[in-house]
Amino acid sequence: MGDGIFSKNCTFLLAALTLLSSFLLSSVMAKVYTVGDQEEWSSQTNYALWAEGYNFSLGDVLVFKYLKGQHNVYEVQENTFRSCDASSGVLAKYESGEDHVVLNEVKRYWFICNIAGHCLGGMRFGIKVKHSNIVVTSINSTDGDALNPQIEPSPSHNSCTSYISERWRVIGNFLPFGLLLFNLNF
């Protein structure tokens, strides 16, 4: 009977640790931003002000939502952004109505709508994408393999620690990756 309570308590603790590690992993993944938030990609939004409210990092995703045919999204060079003349300086064109742009470089990005009058009317913005703050340290300094640390089982098989350690082995192998990702955003 005592073993049943012991097993339930350890299972609960293991579940709590698993939940905590999944929370940490989900909180450090790339962020997805809907451009314009609730207003989406339309002519009623001040996109320069919208963009100032966020810190964009390498790997984040911008989602442009709009009615296909009424708007589009061009990623452009700065001079094209400033002039709203897309006859040159266009880096990419998006026209699906729900465009996902991965911010895969540390640089300034410039976006415009190339429908006549929209860019000059305010459908444009620029953002600066930065590296996330990352601190990489070796978790297992003896072999330098930070992504696959060795977790030694406890010698006692009659404790909650050994019970969790046996079941934590698989989850624990992914924890350093989660911590690495966690450091990317903080």
Side-chain angles (χ1 to χ4, degrees):
M1 178 125 165
D3 287 338
I5 293 172
F6 169 79
S7 179
K8 286 180 184 178
N9 288 340
C10 287
T11 301
F12 175 76
L13 185 56
L14 181 61
L17 288 171
T18 303
L19 183 63
L20 177 62
S21 65
S22 68
F23 170 75
L24 289 175
L25 285 174
S26 67
S27 69
V28 298
M29 301 304 277
K31 293 181 181 168
V32 177
Y33 299 95
T34 299
V35 175
D37 295 326
Q38 295 83 2
E39 288 81 29
E40 299 176 344
W41 187 234
S42 68
S43 55
Q44 282 76 41
T45 303
N46 180 337
Y47 291 100
L49 185 61
W50 173 83
E52 288 177 9
Y54 298 100
N55 293 314
F56 300 98
S57 297
L58 187 64
D60 288 348
V61 179
L62 298 179
V63 178
F64 292 84
K65 294 182 179 182
Y66 55 92
L67 288 174
K68 184 177 179 177
Q70 289 188 359
H71 301 291
N72 57 32
V73 179
Y74 282 22
E75 181 186 342
V76 297
Q77 295 174 342
E78 183 178 5
N79 58 346
T80 303
F81 165 81
R82 297 202 182 284
S83 69
C84 286
D85 179 4
S87 62
S88 66
V90 176
L91 304 173
K93 296 179 183 181
Y94 304 94
E95 301 175 330
S96 75
E98 187 164 335
D99 307 313
H100 295 249
V101 179
V102 178
L103 305 174
N104 57 8
E105 293 182 58
V106 174
K107 68 174 191 174
R108 289 198 177 270
Y109 285 80
W110 306 95
F111 298 98
I112 67 171
C113 178
N114 195 43
I115 303 296
H118 290 194
C119 178
L120 289 172
M123 285 189 73
R124 63 180 171 167
F125 69 97
I127 60 172
K128 183 175 182 179
V129 174
K130 301 177 183 177
H131 281 289
S132 297
N133 296 329
I134 180 169
V135 178
V136 179
T137 57
S138 176
I139 293 173
N140 187 349
S141 59
T142 58
D143 64 4
D145 188 2
L147 294 179
N148 292 304
Q150 298 300 314
I151 300 174
E152 298 298 326
S154 172
S156 170
H157 291 289
N158 196 18
S159 70
C160 191
T161 305
S162 66
Y163 179 82
I164 289 174
S165 144
E166 292 169 13
R167 282 142 186 88
W168 185 254
R169 186 176 312 276
V170 173
I171 296 167
N173 284 335
F174 293 103
L175 188 59
F177 180 68
L179 293 174
L180 176 68
L181 290 175
F182 184 76
N183 284 328
L184 288 175
N185 283 337
F186 294 101

